[in-house]
Amino acid sequence: MNGKGLVACLVVLTMLAGCTAAPMESNEGTEQAVVLTPVPTHLSFSAPTFDRAVDGGANLDLRSSFDGPVLLLWVASGCSGCHDWTVMLKEELEAGNLSNTTNIVAVHRYPEFESTESVAQRYGENNSTHFMPWPLMLPPPSTTVIDAKAAA
Amino acid sequence: MTDVGLYRAFQQPVTPTLQVLDEEGRLVWSSKTYWANATVLTEALNIMETGGR
């Protein structure tokens, strides 16, 4: 290739720069928004328990198991704050400052990271360091909620 | 049953989280106070007594 040919080739390549590929399609307006199902206003769920006497069965449905409001305590076995709340609630119960009819329910959080055995050792057994004398629900991570209003 | 995940429905509770569901299942109160606190507990119990009104 002589000098003129090389220059001509470079000129042509320069002119083509940026035009050698089909224009990128804009994603604007074409991305599909992730539409989440609205959260029901009236919530319930069911989950297994340790089936202790205080659990009210091997599987508990939150809304249909209790009359009146429910105090939920989300816990993990390795959570010092959870131990602290457990102690306070038990002390208030024993002192009579909490009615026996107050619905307290603990729910295990982070089952992906903590075994149910560790929860049982911490909260579930009579000789546990922080035994819970109220139902303890053990929902797997895939648990979905029940629309309590629709179910009623 | 819905396809709404438990944690999303309950506003991504950390531990510990204390929540009150009223008698119809509405989430009416929530606290993420880490250490047990008598004032927070009293607030929760008051909410339970009044049904979140």
Side-chain angles (χ1 to χ4, degrees):
Chain A
M1 186 179 293
N2 61 23
K4 283 185 181 176
L6 181 62
V7 170
C9 191
L10 287 173
V11 169
V12 169
L13 284 175
T14 305
M15 292 171 72
L16 287 175
C19 305
T20 53
M24 287 182 63
E25 290 183 13
S26 169
N27 283 335
E28 283 180 33
T30 61
E31 283 186 9
Q32 292 191 344
V34 177
V35 179
L36 296 173
T37 306
V39 174
T41 54
H42 298 65
L43 299 170
S44 185
F45 65 96
S46 63
T49 71
F50 287 124
D51 201 15
R52 305 168 299 162
V54 294
D55 285 325
N59 200 75
L60 207 59
D61 182 312
L62 189 66
R63 224 12 316 144
S64 60
S65 299
F66 304 101
D67 288 327
V70 176
L71 183 65
L72 282 181
L73 175 62
W74 294 83
V75 296
S77 61
C79 155
S80 301
C82 306
H83 310 161
D84 202 35
W85 275 109
T86 302
V87 168
M88 173 177 268
L89 289 171
K90 278 171 64 177
E91 287 176 352
E92 294 295 318
L93 271 173
E94 286 163 9
N97 297 330
L98 276 178
S99 161
N100 284 336
T101 57
T102 303
N103 299 316
I104 302 173
V105 177
V107 186
H108 181 217
R109 183 73 158 99
Y110 309 124
E112 313 92 314
F113 309 112
E114 287 187 341
S115 66
T116 50
E117 289 76 17
S118 69
V119 179
Q121 286 171 4
R122 173 63 67 178
Y123 300 116
E125 297 162 2
N126 283 332
N127 59 354
S128 299
T129 48
H130 295 91
F131 175 75
M132 288 179 165
W134 50 76
L136 172 52
M137 299 178 78
L138 307 162
S142 59
T143 303
T144 54
V145 294
I146 298 164
D147 184 339
K149 194 170 188 179
Chain B
M1 190 71 76
T2 68
D3 63 356
V4 178
L6 178 66
Y7 305 140
R8 183 164 78 88
F10 283 87
Q11 303 176 352
Q12 305 295 345
V14 294
T15 55
T17 293
L18 213 54
Q19 295 180 323
V20 173
L21 280 186
D22 74 7
E23 59 190 3
E24 294 184 0
R26 286 176 292 226
L27 183 57
V28 292
W29 181 88
S30 189
S31 170
K32 294 179 179 175
T33 305
Y34 192 81
W35 298 111
N37 179 300
T39 305
V40 173
L41 181 57
T42 301
E43 189 182 339
L45 296 176
N46 286 340
I47 294 281
M48 292 178 79
E49 280 182 16
T50 60
R53 288 182 290 275

